[in-house]
Structure formats: structure tokens, C-alpha cells
Amino acid sequence: MSLGDEHGFGDSARADDEYYDGGRTRTRLPDRPGDPYGGARRSSRSSSRGLITVVAVVVLLIGAIAFANRGGGDGGPAASDGAGDKPKAAATAATGRKPVTTKTAGIPSGFPHDEQGAQSAAANYAVALGSTGMFDKTSRHSLLNLLYTPDAAAKLQGPMDQAYSTGFLAKMGLDANGKAPSGSTFVSRVTPLGTTVQQYGDSAARVAVWYVGLIGMSGEGSTDPVTASWKTWTFDLQWAGNDWKIVADSQKDGPAPVPGDDRAATSDEISKATEEYGGFTYAR
């Protein structure tokens, strides 16, 4: 969910790097006098693109660290059931299974120990990791400890704290605690569109989540309007502590649909929608 020295990785992330949405998503902004977004059109090499790019860098780093600490043997995802690499046609159809009814620290938990449970876990974890909670140190640590295996969480905490540095938060328009200024709304949200099981075994699974993400600042004078991007987030999950936990994860661009000609919302409309429309608990 989410979001170059801003992130504490030196030359590994620069403002000139590829934009969060790969430069493929157009935003048609309204030409309205007085609209805070009217003068916030982004050039192909804007600083906002570099800021959002670092999130992809962080996610890849997270995946690399977690993957390196997975260990070998039976800990990795098991081989598929022989159905081949292509998902079955039913993979994109809703199953009708009800969402889990339990939550831990506000995050759905207690997923079934089967393929559908792994898919539900991956979808809900993507939502949590793409939320504004990642920009607050206390809630970020809670999310890491809750969603990742203990070994992976311990390895990630330091790099993540460096990534979400005070300098980075400031360039996103946030204060040192990850809060937006008065009168503004910071948006960071992931909405899963579907999931597919790439590999599954009794103790491990690999699940890909196709999602659309929103990120940016909505408010008067904002130069970083909320934009959308399309990504695929792949999770290596392990069955541990009677639930699915993340061992490693990675992201890639798309697949992205052809942008439409919808009128871009104003700052006030985005802020209102963010406050009025809550998220979902996702189940397969």
C-alpha cells in the first residue's frame, strides 16, 4: 500500500526513478478555477513519482530480506497439484464463502487452513500493508508483527523504520507521526480485485493479489493529488500459529486497463469519499 534518499536507502531510490504506476495511468484533472488539484498536474519526472517509487523499492527489499530468512527444506511453497501454471477458470469466480469473523488488532485473522483461506489472508494482508497505518511507527510495527512470521518481522523492522523516515514523511506532506496537516486528507488504500493460488501445500502457499491502489494528499494547496495504480502483489505464506503468515512478498506493475475518460474528482470530493466509504474484509 504504499508509498531519492527520502526513504533512507541512499542512491538506491532517486526522484528520477520509475513512478509508482509505471507511468501508465493517466489522470484527467479538472480545469477548474480554484480547484486545488487544477494546478497539480504531474510531469513525467515529478518528485511525487520518485516518492511513490520508493515504496516499490521498500517492498522489494522486504521481500528479499524475508526470502533470505525463509530457510530451505519444507519451509517453501509446495509444488502445485499438477493442474499446470494457468489458473483454473473458476479461480476468478466468487465462491460464496463468508469472510472470517475474527480480528486481531483490527485486522481479519483466523483464516482457514486451505487454499481459500490462503487467498483470503493474502487479500486482507495487502489491504493492511497498503494502508495509512504503515506511515505511523507504532502501527507499522504492530502490522509487521501481526502479518509476518516472527523471523521475517524482526528483519524488516529496522529497514522499514529507515524507509519511513521523518524526511520521507515530510516530502509526502506528513508530520513526524505520519499525520496529514489540518484540512488535508492523506490517502493510501489498496483494493484487491482478485486472487490466484500459484502454489499450495499443507504448510506453505504462494498467492498473487491483483489490486488497484490509491495514494496521495487531498487538501487545499496539495501538489500531490490522489492517483490510482494497478499492481500484482505476490505473497509467500506459511502456516504458523494457527494462521497464515507472510514469509516473503514482491510486487510488479499491472495488469492495468486502458484509462477511461472519467472526470477527475476535486480535492473535496476525494476527501469526502475517503471518509465516507470504508473498506471491506475480503474472503475467497
Side-chain angles (χ1 to χ4, degrees):
M1 67 207 351
S2 42
L3 337 139
D5 293 336
E6 300 86 354
H7 235 154
F9 290 103
D11 294 334
S12 63
R14 301 177 303 166
D16 290 340
D17 287 342
E18 182 185 13
Y19 179 46
Y20 176 69
D21 64 2
R24 297 183 178 85
T25 300
R26 294 182 294 122
T27 302
R28 184 184 177 190
L29 297 171
D31 296 318
R32 298 183 180 182
D35 179 12
Y37 279 18
R41 298 180 185 275
R42 301 184 181 197
S43 66
S44 62
R45 298 174 67 85
S46 68
S47 60
S48 297
R49 298 189 177 198
L51 288 173
I52 306 306
T53 296
V54 296
V55 174
V57 175
V58 171
V59 170
L60 291 175
L61 176 64
I62 290 172
I65 294 174
F67 186 87
N69 288 276
R70 291 175 59 192
D74 297 332
S80 62
D81 58 5
D85 294 331
K86 294 183 179 180
K88 299 177 182 178
T92 56
T95 62
R97 174 168 292 183
K98 294 182 179 180
V100 293
T101 58
T102 55
K103 289 187 177 182
T104 303
I107 307 300
S109 60
F111 297 97
H113 190 183
D114 56 22
E115 289 192 28
Q116 290 192 23
Q119 292 180 78
S120 297
N124 283 283
Y125 295 171
V127 171
L129 293 172
S131 71
T132 56
M134 290 296 289
F135 293 80
D136 174 81
K137 185 176 181 179
T138 300
S139 63
R140 181 170 63 250
H141 289 183
S142 296
L143 286 171
L144 293 178
N145 290 329
L146 176 62
L147 305 183
Y148 288 81
T149 61
D151 287 345
K155 294 292 184 180
L156 292 174
Q157 183 170 303
M160 289 296 284
D161 287 345
Q162 289 182 338
Y164 290 90
S165 65
T166 301
F168 168 73
L169 295 176
K171 290 183 179 181
M172 293 294 292
L174 304 171
D175 65 18
N177 296 315
K179 303 299 182 183
S182 177
S184 297
T185 301
F186 179 64
V187 180
S188 181
R189 183 178 292 192
V190 162
T191 301
L193 300 176
T195 61
T196 186
V197 176
Q198 296 181 342
Q199 294 181 357
Y200 183 80
D202 186 62
S203 62
R206 178 172 294 137
V207 179
V209 181
W210 180 37
Y211 74 88
V212 58
L214 300 177
I215 191 166
M217 185 74 75
S218 177
E220 185 175 356
S222 171
T223 59
D224 188 30
V226 178
T227 57
S229 64
W230 300 79
K231 298 279 185 178
T232 299
W233 204 338
T234 302
F235 295 92
D236 279 348
L237 303 172
Q238 185 179 88
W239 184 255
N242 295 319
D243 210 347
W244 291 106
K245 300 294 182 180
I246 306 171
V247 177
D249 59 296
S250 61
Q251 292 198 53
K252 65 178 182 180
D253 293 337
V258 176
D261 292 325
D262 300 308
R263 177 188 66 82
T266 64
S267 174
D268 288 342
E269 289 172 333
I270 289 293
S271 296
K272 184 177 180 180
T274 301
E275 295 170 357
E276 291 184 350
Y277 293 90
F280 299 95
T281 297
Y282 290 84
R284 189 70 185 95

